[in-house]
């Protein structure tokens, strides 16, 4: 049975003076199935929102009001490194083996944790970079200046790239600071979805490839944190009024896509919340949706982690109290990434170094026979390649429209030939009759 796990972080002083919760612990690892339990803890961290990232082997946590990132080893259960940067860190995210940091001065810092290579952009935002979202090919950065930049990861990490490069696209429909940003799993240019929340009380659905606004959602109060379900069909939003809102993107009346009956410029009002948190819990600053889409976890400013059951829409139940403001809840993928190497020890950034070495641990059989090596070692064409080629010919279907046109033309030609045969037969019979007479 796969065990679903999440990591949570806290920030700020303890809420209660007398508590059984350790004062030194700043990051918790929880198991959700078969029961809620604390599996691991990591000390000496105060992590603000959007500043916690989890990989298969490490935890990266930027520190509140500081220019430091704490690196913890999940394999050994301890702090591995403390990495200093020239500016305070306001947000961070992982893209493979690259840690991306947004600074208070509006810059982006990309750190290759396997090599120590560091790439820094000029101030791309006027104010601090508060939110980051990554896809396999793109990086999205949002700021207090209300703008969202879309970057190509390959172009940012290219050797010899111009330090003065600019983003590929800027999304600028918000009229207030961006409070949260997330990107959907699809990388197709037609279905590349991202969602941004802002202090202007709106959430905007974008196609970040084209920059098109797909839909604008208006809430009664400021949306603070957002999450998409695993299939990107439902959007969950926690607002400043304590409400948890559910917006179905492809319900009976789809908001986006080809089946949407309304124009994208029409604003959708979200009035009825799915539920409202108790006032003594404080507002929710982070949330996470389970992989099966049956419940939601929310972290609150009063230290509580609540579980909302979506099957019966009941009142949320308290899972734990961390005695400090819960700032991040990050789910761990159920299945580990299919990579042939693993980062056991991170390499700190080195500005003076110009030649880099990859430090990683190889996983599995590195001498496995690939498709290319199989073809290169075969005499002539490989048998499976020939079989696939033959099957493609035998299973290929002609174009139906062309086939129907040819069939119709053949029928017309057959009819003309039959008419000519009947005419020829009648002519021969007439001449035979003339000869006999």
């Amino acid at each position: 049975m796969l065990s679903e796990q999440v990591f949570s972080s806290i920030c700020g002083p303890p809420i209660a003076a007398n508590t059984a919760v350790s004062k030194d612990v700043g990051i918790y690892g929880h198991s959700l199935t078969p029961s809620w339990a604390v599996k691991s803890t990591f000390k000496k961290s105060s992590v603000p929102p959007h500043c916690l990232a989890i990989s298969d082997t490490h935890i990266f946590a930027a520190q509140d009001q500081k220019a430091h990132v704490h690196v913890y080893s999940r394999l050994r259960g301890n702090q591995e490194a403390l990495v200093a940067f020239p500016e305070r860190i306001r947000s961070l995210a992982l893209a493979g083996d690259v840690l991306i940091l947004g600074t208070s001065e509006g810059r982006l810092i990309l750190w290759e944790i396997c090599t120590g290579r560091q790439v820094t952009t000029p101030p791309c935002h006027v104010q601090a970079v508060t939110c980051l979202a990554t896809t396999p090919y793109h990086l999205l950065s949002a700021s207090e200046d209300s703008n969202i930049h879309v970057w190509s990861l390959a172009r940012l990490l290219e050797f010899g790239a111009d330090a003065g490069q600019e983003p590929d696209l800027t999304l600028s429909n918000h009229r207030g600071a961006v409070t949260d940003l997330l990107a959907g799993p699809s990388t197709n240019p037609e279905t590349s979805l991202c969602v941004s929340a802002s202090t202007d009380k709106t959430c905007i659905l974008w196609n970040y490839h084209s920059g098109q606004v797909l839909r604008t959602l208006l809430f009664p109060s400021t949306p603070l944190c957002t999450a998409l379900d695993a299939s990107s069909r439902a959007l969950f939003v926690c607002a400043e009024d304590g409400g948890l809102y559910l917006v179905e993107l492809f319900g009976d009346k789809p908001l986006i896509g080809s089946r949407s009956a309304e124009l994208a410029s029409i604003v959708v009002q979200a009035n009825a919340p799915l539920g409202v948190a108790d006032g003594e819990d404080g507002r929710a600053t982070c949330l996470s949706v389970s992989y099966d889409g049956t419940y939601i976890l929310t972290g609150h400013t009063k230290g509580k982690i609540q579980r909302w059951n979506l099957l019966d829409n009941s009142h949320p139940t308290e899972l734990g109290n961390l005695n400090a403001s819960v700032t991040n809840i990050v789910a761990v993928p159920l299945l580990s990434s299919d990579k042939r190497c693993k980062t056991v020890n991170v390499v700190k950034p080195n500005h003076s170094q110009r030649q880099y070495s990859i430090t990683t641990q190889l996983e599995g059989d590195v001498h496995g026979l690939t498709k290319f090596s199989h073809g290169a070692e075969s005499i002539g064409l490989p048998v499976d390649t020939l079989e696939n080629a033959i099957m493609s010919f035998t299973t290929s279907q002609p174009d139906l429209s062309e086939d129907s046109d040819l069939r119709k033309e053949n029928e017309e030609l057959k009819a003309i030939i039959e008419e000519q045969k009947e005419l020829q037969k009648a002519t021969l019979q007439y001449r035979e009759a003339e000869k006999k007479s």
Side-chain angles (χ1 to χ4, degrees), residues 68-94:
H68 297 157
V69 172
H70 290 185
V71 181
Y72 299 91
S73 172
R74 291 180 59 187
L75 305 176
R76 293 182 290 271
N78 59 358
Q79 183 173 345
E80 181 177 316
L82 188 151
V83 184
F85 292 91
E87 299 174 11
R88 286 185 299 171
I89 307 302
R90 291 291 305 274
S91 57
L92 59 80
L94 267 174

Side-chain angles (χ1 to χ4, degrees), residues 144-212:
E144 293 177 349
D145 63 9
S146 77
N147 290 327
I148 302 167
H149 292 333
V150 181
W151 307 79
S152 168
L153 274 175
R155 193 163 60 85
L156 284 173
L157 295 171
E158 181 182 3
F159 280 97
D162 183 12
Q165 58 186 326
E166 297 182 353
D168 298 346
L169 201 63
T170 299
L171 314 178
S172 57
N173 279 45
H174 280 300
R175 296 295 177 265
V178 179
T179 57
D180 201 5
L181 178 68
L182 57 90
S186 175
T187 57
N188 188 301
E190 299 297 328
T191 57
S192 298
L193 173 68
C194 76
V195 183
S196 59
S198 172
T199 55
D200 60 11
K201 299 183 180 181
T202 65
C203 281
I204 298 181
L205 311 178
W206 311 80
N207 182 321
Y208 62 84
H209 261 97
S210 62
Q212 177 187 4

Side-chain angles (χ1 to χ4, degrees), residues 45-365:
S45 264
S46 181
V47 188
H50 310 296
C51 287
L52 182 68
I54 311 295
S55 70
D56 293 340
T57 56
H58 288 85
I59 299 172
F60 301 90
Q63 301 304 297
D64 186 34
Q65 300 297 321
K66 294 182 180 179
H68 297 157
V69 172
H70 290 185
V71 181
Y72 299 91
S73 172
R74 291 180 59 187
L75 305 176
R76 293 182 290 271
N78 59 358
Q79 183 173 345
E80 181 177 316
L82 188 151
V83 184
F85 292 91
E87 299 174 11
R88 286 185 299 171
I89 307 302
R90 291 291 305 274
S91 57
L92 59 80
L94 267 174
D97 291 327
V98 178
L99 185 69
I100 303 160
L101 306 100
T103 73
S104 59
E105 302 299 324
R107 302 178 192 272
L108 293 178
I109 300 175
L110 289 84
W111 166 30
E112 292 182 349
I113 59 177
C114 290
T115 65
R117 177 173 174 243
Q118 179 177 307
V119 177
T120 304
T121 68
C124 52
H125 289 279
V126 178
Q127 293 176 283
V129 181
T130 55
C131 309
L132 294 170
T134 61
T135 73
Y137 309 106
H138 290 87
L139 165 65
L140 286 74
S141 61
S143 168
E144 293 177 349
D145 63 9
S146 77
N147 290 327
I148 302 167
H149 292 333
V150 181
W151 307 79
S152 168
L153 274 175
R155 193 163 60 85
L156 284 173
L157 295 171
E158 181 182 3
F159 280 97
D162 183 12
Q165 58 186 326
E166 297 182 353
D168 298 346
L169 201 63
T170 299
L171 314 178
S172 57
N173 279 45
H174 280 300
R175 296 295 177 265
V178 179
T179 57
D180 201 5
L181 178 68
L182 57 90
S186 175
T187 57
N188 188 301
E190 299 297 328
T191 57
S192 298
L193 173 68
C194 76
V195 183
S196 59
S198 172
T199 55
D200 60 11
K201 299 183 180 181
T202 65
C203 281
I204 298 181
L205 311 178
W206 311 80
N207 182 321
Y208 62 84
H209 261 97
S210 62
Q212 177 187 4
V213 175
L214 303 178
R215 184 67 72 178
T216 300
L217 310 174
L218 181 61
F219 293 87
S221 61
T222 299
L224 300 177
C225 48
T226 59
L228 285 169
D229 69 341
S231 58
S232 296
R233 299 185 65 87
L235 173 67
F236 298 92
V237 178
C238 283
E240 197 171 24
D241 59 4
L244 171 64
Y245 295 85
L246 165 62
V247 181
E248 294 188 10
L249 305 183
F250 300 97
D252 296 334
K253 294 181 180 180
L255 299 183
I256 60 177
S258 58
R259 294 177 55 240
S260 176
E262 298 178 336
L263 297 175
S265 58
I266 297 177
V267 178
V268 177
Q269 182 76 43
N271 290 321
L274 193 66
V276 179
D278 295 334
E280 59 268 19
D281 295 339
R283 65 178 186 271
T285 57
C286 52
L287 77 158
S288 175
V289 185
S290 64
Y291 284 100
D292 59 3
T294 59
Y295 60 88
I296 295 174
L297 301 179
T298 55
H300 298 260
T301 55
K302 298 299 183 179
K304 294 183 179 180
I305 297 179
Q306 302 278 16
R307 173 173 174 163
W308 306 69
N309 194 335
L310 299 177
L311 298 179
D312 55 10
N313 198 20
S314 59
H315 193 74
T317 58
E318 180 181 333
L319 294 180
N321 191 340
L322 305 184
N323 197 39
S325 178
V326 182
T327 52
N328 295 278
I329 297 179
V330 181
V332 178
L334 291 177
L335 300 175
S336 60
S337 58
D338 185 17
K339 298 194 302 183
R340 291 181 175 267
C341 57
K342 180 170 62 176
T343 305
V344 178
N345 298 302
V346 300
V347 180
K348 290 186 177 182
N350 191 335
H351 301 282
S352 60
Q353 192 172 356
R354 290 296 177 265
Q355 293 182 347
Y356 303 94
S357 300
I358 296 178
T359 303
T360 187
Q361 177 177 307
L362 300 177
E363 293 286 299
D365 183 11

